Amino acid sequence: MPGWRDRSPGNKQETRIIMNISTTSAVSALVLVASTGMAQITFNPSTNIAAGTRPSGVAAADFDGDGDADYAVTVDNPDRILIFVNDGAGNFSAGGTIFTGAGSGAGALVAADLNGDMQPDLAVALQNNNAVATYINIAGSFGLGGTVGVGANPRGLTSGDMDGDGDIDLAVANRDGNSASILTNVGGSFTAQTVTVGTEPRAVAFGDIDSDGDMDLVTTNHDDRTLSLVDNVGGTFVVSATISAGAGNRPEGITSADFDNDGDTDFAAATDNVISLFFNNGGTLSGPFTFASGGVSASPVVAADFDCDGDMDIATGHEDSGTIGVLQNTGGAFGPAITIAAGTTPDSLTTADLDGDGSPDLLAGNRDSNNVTLATNGSCDGTEPTTCNADIDGDGDVDFEDLNMLLEEWGCVEN
C-alpha cells in the first residue's frame, strides 16, 4: 500500500520502521487511510464490436471533425483500414474503407496530424511490403500521402515530434530486420533512417531520455530480452545503451510517460505476465521494476490517467488470456491490476475519450475473434461505485484483516 514506506526506484535501501504501536493508534491510522486514499479505477462492462478479419492495429481520433473520437482498425482479406464513426454518445457505425494493397499486411496503426492541417491523418505499417504508408485526411476522407521503405516486417509503429520542429514524426520496429526505422517528417513527406538494434524488436516508443529537448527512442528486443536506447544526436540516431528486460522476460509493447512525476520520461514495457518499469535517473534508465499485469502474455501497452488524479496509469492487453489489465499508479509504484474482459488475442490497444465524458477509455483489437473491445472508463465521470479506501484487502468491509495488512506495511510491531 503506498504512502507508508518509500518504495520508489531511487530508494536504494528500504527503511524498515520499528515502533511500539497500540491497536488504538493503528485503527486511527486505518481511518487516516480511509480519509486520504486515492480514487479507484473503474471500467464499465466491456462490449465487443464486429470488425473485419484479423484486426491487428487500432487508432482513435476525431476523423470527421464533429468533436468526438472515432476509431480506425486494420484488417485482412483484403488488407484495408476500416473507419468507424462516433455518434457522440460512444456508439459506432461503419464509415469509410481504405485499401492498402493486396497482400500488403496492414498492421500497426497510428492517428496523428501528419501534414499540419489540424486534421488527424493515418499511418500504417505494411508488414509484407517493408514499408510505412500515410493516408491524408481531407474532410473525413483519406487519400494516400506516400509510402516510405523501412526494414523487414515493420511492427509497433509510434508517432511523436522527435526533432522539435512542430510536426509529427514516426518510428517503427522492424521485427525481421533487427532494426528500427525513424521517419522524419519534412513538410508532410517522410525520410527514413534505419538503425540496427537487438534481435526481433517488437515495438518502439519516443521519449526525451537525456532531457536535451529532442526525442530519443527505445525499442523492445523480444529474443534478446533487452531494450535498446537509441539516442537522438541532432537528428542522427545511434544506439547508446542496451539494458536487460529482466531474466526470462521477453519484452513486447512499450510506452513512455512520466510515471514517477519527477519531470522526466520513463518507460513501461509489457514483458510476458508483468509490466516492467524503467525509471529515468538523470538520463540513465534504472529497472526493471516489475508489477503483475493481471493476465497472461501481456503485449500492447498504453499509458493514460485513468483515475484522473494527475499521474499516469497503465493498461495492457493479454494475448493468451483474452483480457485487458489496468494498473493504477500509486506514486511511482502500481497497485494490483483490474481485469477487463476482451476478445480472443487482444494484440493492439489504444486509449481515447470515446464516450465524451472526459475520461480516457480503451479500445483493443482482438486478432482471433475478428472484433474490437470497447471498455469505457467510469472513474472520472461520477458513475464509479462507492468504495472505502480503508478496505485494504478488497473484501467489501473494514476489519482486523485490513488492520493486520496495514501493520505489515507499516513495519515491525514490537511488544
Side-chain angles (χ1 to χ4, degrees):
M1 183 182 66
W4 301 110
R5 185 186 299 153
D6 183 6
R7 289 197 177 96
S8 65
N11 185 30
K12 301 300 184 184
Q13 293 182 339
E14 181 181 285
T15 302
R16 194 148 178 82
I17 303 172
I18 302 176
M19 60 178 64
N20 293 320
I21 183 168
S22 68
T23 301
T24 300
S25 60
V27 171
S28 297
L30 195 62
V31 173
L32 177 63
V33 176
S35 63
T36 61
M38 62 186 64
Q40 301 299 303
I41 294 179
T42 56
F43 275 78
N44 300 311
S46 59
T47 58
N48 291 329
I49 306 170
T53 304
R54 293 179 66 82
S56 55
V58 289
D62 182 9
F63 296 123
D64 55 8
D66 65 353
D68 50 36
D70 313 299
Y71 73 87
V73 57
T74 54
V75 297
D76 288 346
N77 298 323
D79 293 291
R80 63 201 189 279
I81 304 169
L82 302 178
I83 309 296
F84 291 83
V85 295
N86 193 337
D87 68 356
N91 303 305
F92 295 88
S93 58
T97 300
I98 305 167
F99 292 95
T100 63
S104 58
L109 188 67
V110 298
D113 180 9
L114 301 176
N115 64 346
D117 66 353
M118 306 301 289
Q119 295 187 87
D121 309 303
L122 289 167
V124 58
L126 303 179
Q127 295 169 190
N128 299 336
N129 290 358
N130 303 334
V132 171
T134 61
Y135 293 89
I136 303 304
N137 185 351
I138 303 173
S141 297
F142 290 84
L144 179 65
T147 302
V148 184
V150 294
N153 194 0
R155 305 288 182 119
L157 186 67
T158 193
S159 62
D161 182 7
M162 63 91 176
D163 51 8
D165 65 353
D167 54 27
I168 299 300
D169 309 296
L170 303 167
V172 67
N174 303 310
R175 178 172 173 174
D176 294 345
N178 299 333
S179 64
S181 295
I182 301 93
L183 284 65
T184 303
N185 190 335
V186 184
S189 61
F190 291 83
T191 60
Q193 176 186 164
T194 297
V195 180
T196 298
V197 292
T199 306
E200 203 176 302
R202 297 291 180 89
V204 291
F206 281 123
D208 185 4
I209 300 172
D210 50 12
S211 301
D212 65 351
D214 56 28
M215 301 286 263
D216 310 299
L217 193 73
V218 175
T219 73
T220 58
N221 307 315
H222 181 268
D223 285 7
D224 279 358
R225 297 181 172 89
T226 64
L227 306 183
S228 292
L229 279 58
V230 187
D231 191 20
N232 183 348
V233 184
T236 298
F237 287 82
V238 180
V239 175
S240 60
T242 300
I243 59 178
S244 172
N249 288 336
R250 295 184 183 272
E252 292 270 353
I254 191 166
T255 190
S256 60
D258 182 7
F259 292 111
D260 53 6
N261 286 325
D262 64 352
D264 54 25
T265 303
D266 312 303
F267 293 84
T271 53
D272 294 304
N273 302 333
V274 300
I275 296 296
S276 296
L277 269 292
F278 298 85
F279 290 91
N280 193 339
N281 294 306
T284 300
L285 296 186
S286 61
F289 301 90
T290 59
F291 303 88
S293 68
V296 181
S297 298
S299 181
V301 59
V302 296
D305 184 8
F306 292 114
D307 54 6
C308 301
D309 66 351
D311 55 25
M312 298 298 282
D313 310 299
I314 294 171
T316 185
H318 300 115
E319 290 189 346
D320 289 349
S321 55
T323 57
I324 302 167
V326 182
L327 285 70
Q328 184 175 31
N329 190 334
T330 61
F334 289 81
I338 67 166
T339 301
I340 301 168
T344 307
T345 322
D347 65 353
S348 57
L349 188 66
T350 193
T351 181
D353 180 11
L354 295 165
D355 58 1
D357 67 353
S359 58
D361 307 307
L362 288 165
L363 190 75
N366 304 309
R367 185 185 67 211
D368 294 325
S369 55
N370 300 334
N371 56 20
V372 297
T373 294
L374 173 63
T376 57
N377 185 356
S379 305
C380 313
D381 60 1
T383 64
E384 64 268 30
T386 301
T387 60
C388 178
N389 292 305
D391 179 17
I392 299 171
D393 61 4
D395 65 355
D397 55 25
V398 179
D399 52 25
F400 276 98
E401 291 299 323
D402 301 297
L403 175 59
N404 289 336
M405 291 180 69
L406 173 65
L407 294 176
E408 182 179 311
E409 289 289 334
W410 192 298
C412 297
V413 179
E414 291 186 345
N415 295 321

